[in-house]
Amino acid sequence: MNEDMSKGSISFRCAGDSFGRTKKTGRYIRLRYSVLSAIFLVLFMSLNAGNIAGTVYSLDDTGDKAPLSGAYVCLPNSQTGTVTDATGQFTLKKENTNGTYLIASFEGFSPDTIPINRADNQSFEFVLKEGQLLKDVVVTGTRQINSLSKNSLLRTEVINKTGLMKMACCNLSESFENSATVTVGFTDAVSGAKQVQLLGLSGIYIQLLGENIPMLRGLSSANGWSYIPGSWLESIQLSKGTSSVVNGYEAISGQLNLEFKKPDYTDPLFVNLYTDQFGCSEGNITAATQVAPDLWTGLLVSGTLDNNAHDYNKDGFLDMPKTRMINVYNRWLYLSPNGLQSRTGIKFLYDDRQGGHDTKHNLTNYSGAHYVTNIDNRNFTVDNKTGFPVGTREGQSIGIITGLTHQELNSSFGLKTFNSTQVSFYSNVLLTSHLGSTDSPKYTIGGSFVFDGFKTHYQDLLPFNLTPLTALNRQELVPGFFGEYTYSLLKKFTLIVGARTDYNSKYGWLFTPRTNIKYNITDDLIARASAGKGYRAPNVIADNMGIMASSRKLYVDEIPDLAIENAWNYGGNLTWYVPIGDNQRMSLSLDYFHTEFHNQAVVDIERNSNSVYFYNLKGRSYADAWQADLSVTPFNRFDIYAAFRFNNTKITYSEENQQYLVDKPLTARYRGLLNLSYATKFRKWVFDFTTQMNGPSRIPCLNGYNSELKESPGFTICFAQVTKNTKRFDVYLGAENILDYKQNNPIIDAGNPFDQGFESSFVWGPVVGRKIYAGIRLRIGKLK
């Protein structure tokens, strides 16, 4: 996430989730798709704001364009100018552009000029090159592919497109192997679903944005990370702590913003093919074209096929489920030279995963009844983000965001079934302006409306359970209003104070205050602090799908009164940029964040070995997270990144009148990471090596809270990849978990999956051993 996003400014881009359709609805969906596309096109072409607009880019290490936020665009010998937003875009009034050319500049980059006596249907595009022109000497440098943003108000870790290529990064959940901030693991040893953790808390407490539009909410919040292909992304911005109130009240531990490939400067055709030793194959295609002077479209397609059965630990269960997935994302961009920007996304997904015992092959000598899991996910999303300047004041604009999502999740784990449908609508309207000139304090005000409807059915037909649970249906209507004030002083001190008030039809009034501060102590020493509150409505089964892969009976004690989760988050960061030689620099970052829950949906798996209890928090639940990051480039094209994180996460379990404050189970106490990256000249060859040191975590007790505590061992995982790059064709070869470390017996009582002792959700380490993979990337057409 960049500075403009954290300040609450709008980035006029759109992203969607996904859609899966049945044969019965296919004709209807195609008709609706055509009608929606026609409506959006007519809307875009009908708006005209009387301004000229453009975009400022920089070039990354591979020569690809990346939006440059904070660049200054002005007329020569004039005070008329503006600053680019989070997407590198700018707007100037026509009456203020009577000169012969425009100038774009940014600290550390050579300025550029473009004539402005062009036709109105053309937008302006600057491409700034790194380096400052000092007399006749150009000083150049390269940006690290994983870095801490210097300009962002929040502590933000940026992974650019080159960083995403350091590993195969088949999907978002696999994009953090080189990050110490996020931990990725399996929810259970049967379904193959992955989960992430930030600040010692589950990934469900991270607000996930697609170009500043909330996504992966509700049914997909826990497992949807694998539904975002890495090859679709331009960059990832991960920030810790509370953020802007503009995007809603759901961020508790942090915010993750995804920048997808843009239709207006994506390569005409890009193909990425991947395969590994287990027989999993993936194909990703992105394409883009300009269909009118001001209109672009892009198509992103991803498919996964894994029909192989393998059981290397000989426990009778597939190590990874068989998978069939198709994911399609169609993007439309209308960019008027008069200032109007509108982006529309239409996305659908179909995902089918089958795990457990293989019904077609005798994997082991197991002779009992087959235990089979099946997860069927179908998702359709359409959203639009439109922005345009209003009034005569420079920098004043209105943004309108709308989105509609329909998702179906049907799953079975042995004799348990969980089927749910979610329909969600999101709308946000905001006005951004200044109290005076563009140098004066900035404010953002607006209103939002959210609708979430869930129809859920859970049933357990195990002989000793026989419990249907259908009381999880709910409906929420949430109108809200927000305001945010940004004050800057001499580019050294920035303060953002924001608050929002929402009325949730199920949970009542919700008040969300948030504050963020950044102070440049010197040009190379930056301090940040944040404090704020966040809320989240629990989806107890969808948020904890791993518990389905057990024989436990589920109790939701307080339905329909399971309260909304809410927590305060406080934290700070100190970053020091140290010059270490000619054009080289080292950065050192230290941060601490504390999350304190006032209410949490407790998932109690330790009261006894036969049940899982869900109830409102009756005591303390908190998480402390300390982290240190060191990034250095000792010589050209060789990057070193090292980090260490320590977590102290506690939760209170309650039983009758007793309370037990314990370490949260299956949360590693510390994690260390070392990444080495070297590239030859012009990045013709790239070599990457990463090692992770994972600390112990508490294993849940099976016989009550007072049982002897047990810990998992610490372990190390290593990754490596070598890539040969050419202008149009790349080849990569890599390995994950090189040391072949695996958790012994991740499934408890695997030989008796229908008995009370069966459990597969106590996963603290890898369940799959060494994996060797290879792939190619191909770029066709005129490269951009």
Side-chain angles (χ1 to χ4, degrees), residues 404-434:
L404 176 66
T405 298
H406 180 274
Q407 179 163 340
E408 295 180 13
L409 171 62
N410 298 304
S411 62
S412 62
F413 292 75
L415 297 179
K416 293 181 178 181
T417 58
F418 174 71
N419 302 322
S420 186
T421 300
Q422 173 188 352
V423 177
S424 294
F425 174 78
Y426 173 83
S427 179
N428 198 17
V429 179
L430 61 156
L431 168 68
T432 299
S433 186
H434 294 267

Side-chain angles (χ1 to χ4, degrees), residues 34-48 295 332 334 340 342 344 384 386:
S34 301
V35 173
L36 286 171
S37 298
I39 292 174
F40 286 132
L41 182 59
V42 172
L43 173 64
F44 303 161
M45 301 298 289
S46 64
L47 294 173
N48 193 321
L295 186 66
W332 291 85
Y334 176 71
L340 172 70
S342 191
T344 301
N384 171 263
T386 299

Side-chain angles (χ1 to χ4, degrees), residues 271-510:
V271 180
N272 180 28
L273 302 177
Y274 163 97
T275 188
D276 61 39
Q277 72 188 76
F278 300 121
C280 177
S281 299
E282 298 195 16
N284 297 280
I285 300 174
T286 63
T289 187
Q290 186 172 3
V291 297
D294 302 322
L295 186 66
W296 293 261
T297 186
L299 183 65
L300 298 83
V301 181
S302 177
T304 301
L305 180 63
D306 185 359
N307 280 327
N308 293 311
H310 44 82
D311 177 22
Y312 291 103
N313 60 4
K314 306 300 181 183
D315 61 1
F317 283 80
L318 298 177
D319 294 335
M320 292 295 291
K322 299 179 181 180
T323 302
R324 294 180 301 166
M325 182 174 69
I326 182 68
N327 203 344
V328 179
Y329 185 13
N330 183 208
R331 310 195 69 189
W332 291 85
L333 163 66
Y334 176 71
L335 181 60
S336 168
N338 298 315
L340 172 70
Q341 304 176 40
S342 191
R343 301 177 184 271
T344 301
I346 305 171
K347 186 175 181 182
F348 69 87
L349 165 82
Y350 171 76
D351 179 44
D352 179 64
R353 299 171 186 260
Q354 296 182 355
H357 291 141
D358 185 12
T359 59
K360 295 182 179 180
H361 299 87
N362 182 22
L363 298 180
T364 68
N365 294 324
Y366 180 80
S367 59
H370 285 296
Y371 182 97
V372 178
T373 68
N374 183 77
I375 300 176
D376 184 285
N377 225 320
R378 303 165 185 264
N379 186 294
F380 169 77
T381 295
V382 58
D383 55 34
N384 171 263
K385 181 157 59 172
T386 299
F388 48 90
V390 293
T392 59
R393 179 172 295 176
E394 186 73 22
Q396 184 169 279
S397 63
I398 289 180
I400 304 172
I401 304 173
T402 55
L404 176 66
T405 298
H406 180 274
Q407 179 163 340
E408 295 180 13
L409 171 62
N410 298 304
S411 62
S412 62
F413 292 75
L415 297 179
K416 293 181 178 181
T417 58
F418 174 71
N419 302 322
S420 186
T421 300
Q422 173 188 352
V423 177
S424 294
F425 174 78
Y426 173 83
S427 179
N428 198 17
V429 179
L430 61 156
L431 168 68
T432 299
S433 186
H434 294 267
L435 296 179
S437 65
T438 55
D439 294 330
S440 64
K442 174 183 173 182
Y443 67 88
T444 300
I445 56 174
S448 64
F449 178 79
V450 177
F451 169 81
D452 288 318
F454 296 88
K455 292 183 179 180
T456 298
H457 179 81
Y458 169 80
Q459 191 169 32
D460 186 351
L461 298 179
L462 286 169
F464 43 85
N465 286 346
L466 297 177
T467 302
L469 182 60
T470 59
L472 294 171
N473 296 342
R474 80 172 193 274
Q475 182 174 291
E476 298 176 39
L477 291 89
V478 190
F481 302 92
F482 57 86
E484 197 167 64
Y485 173 82
T486 302
Y487 173 77
S488 298
L489 179 63
L490 301 176
K491 297 184 180 181
K492 293 181 67 68
F493 175 80
T494 304
L495 169 67
I496 293 183
V497 179
R500 64 178 299 128
T501 299
D502 299 85
Y503 180 77
N504 188 299
S505 61
K506 179 176 176 61
Y507 301 108
W509 288 100
L510 306 175

Side-chain angles (χ1 to χ4, degrees), residues 605-656:
I605 58 179
E606 301 186 67
R607 185 179 297 182
N608 63 62
S609 60
N610 300 323
S611 305
V612 179
Y613 296 86
F614 303 96
Y615 50 82
N616 292 322
L617 180 67
K618 299 179 179 66
R620 291 193 69 191
S621 176
Y622 64 90
D624 296 305
W626 295 264
Q627 183 167 324
D629 299 78
L630 175 66
S631 181
V632 61
T633 302
F635 53 87
N636 287 340
R637 303 184 302 278
F638 180 57
D639 296 326
I640 301 175
Y641 172 69
F644 184 83
R645 187 190 70 231
F646 177 79
N647 291 325
N648 177 36
T649 308
K650 302 283 188 179
I651 191 168
T652 299
Y653 290 146
S654 302
E655 182 179 14
E656 297 179 350

